[in-house]
Amino acid sequence: MPSFDIVSEVPMHEVQNAVDNANRELMGRFDFRNVDATFTLVEKDKKIRLEADGDFQIQQMDDILRNKAAKRNIDTASLTFETPEQSGKRWSQDVKLKDGIDKDMAKKIVKMIKDGKFKVTTQIMDQVIRVTGKKKDDLQLVIAEVRKAELGQPFQFVNFRD
């Protein structure tokens, strides 16, 4: 039977490249000259930490990170920008990466598929949703429906088997 998996993954090597490019741009920008500002990728927590001397600079760094992520084909919906915090003279902001499908989102997607009355079956497996159907056309309709829905998170469709 034809099947595919719905996943939400952020390619960490592309995130690393975006962070490196953003740091490189900071070194070349005139408004960041003689300013201690950095982007740091914390892979174990799946977040990017922005640090600078002022709140305005953090806002500028937000824009730089969004642009660099978009150029590396990272969906900016997978970035969650938290509020900047001040600690002494330094400002910092964490940007969390949405990686994986949590249980609530998985249930929401499965409910949306069932409400669409598609002739498919769904199965939640940890952070993956497997969709199985008798016809490939039914699966393509499900893919179109999930893409059309605005769920606040990017999804990829992998392991399409015929």
Side-chain angles (χ1 to χ4, degrees):
M1 288 182 92
S3 68
F4 70 91
D5 296 337
I6 301 173
V7 297
S8 180
E9 298 174 341
V10 178
M12 291 307 286
H13 62 282
E14 291 294 341
V15 173
Q16 180 67 52
N17 290 338
V19 168
D20 291 344
N21 290 341
N23 276 322
R24 210 170 292 122
E25 183 173 329
L26 282 182
M27 288 188 286
R29 283 183 55 152
F30 182 75
D31 54 342
F32 281 93
R33 192 146 302 153
N34 298 326
V35 174
D36 186 22
T38 58
F39 293 94
T40 310
L41 176 63
V42 183
E43 285 196 49
K44 65 177 178 141
D45 295 336
K46 296 206 177 200
K47 69 178 182 179
I48 302 169
R49 187 162 190 84
L50 286 64
E51 293 180 310
D53 293 337
D55 182 35
F56 179 72
Q57 292 164 340
I58 291 286
Q59 292 172 0
Q60 295 291 316
M61 291 172 70
D62 278 356
D63 292 337
I64 293 170
L65 183 62
R66 286 179 203 270
N67 290 335
K68 296 303 178 187
K71 285 182 182 178
R72 302 300 304 179
N73 291 328
I74 300 169
D75 194 339
T76 54
S78 63
L79 303 175
T80 304
F81 289 84
E82 296 183 354
T83 56
E85 299 173 352
Q86 184 178 13
S87 175
K89 292 183 178 182
R90 299 283 293 166
W91 283 79
S92 65
Q93 179 180 23
D94 288 337
V95 180
K96 292 196 177 182
L97 303 169
K98 292 181 189 174
D99 195 30
I101 303 173
D102 61 349
K103 292 288 183 195
D104 294 333
M105 182 60 75
K107 289 178 183 178
K108 193 175 186 180
I109 293 170
V110 168
K111 183 179 183 322
M112 182 184 68
I113 291 171
K114 286 186 178 184
D115 289 347
K117 306 235 189 276
F118 299 106
K119 296 180 182 178
V120 296
T121 59
T122 56
Q123 181 181 5
I124 300 174
M125 303 180 316
D126 197 23
Q127 295 186 352
V128 176
I129 301 171
R130 171 141 310 150
V131 181
T132 309
K134 290 184 180 180
K135 296 179 185 175
K136 199 186 317 184
D137 294 341
D138 294 336
L139 298 180
Q140 290 173 341
L141 290 173
V142 170
I143 290 173
E145 187 69 24
V146 172
R147 279 193 178 137
K148 185 174 66 173
E150 294 184 19
L151 299 170
Q153 188 172 353
F155 297 104
Q156 294 84 33
F157 306 98
V158 297
N159 295 338
F160 197 96
R161 300 194 178 147
D162 202 6

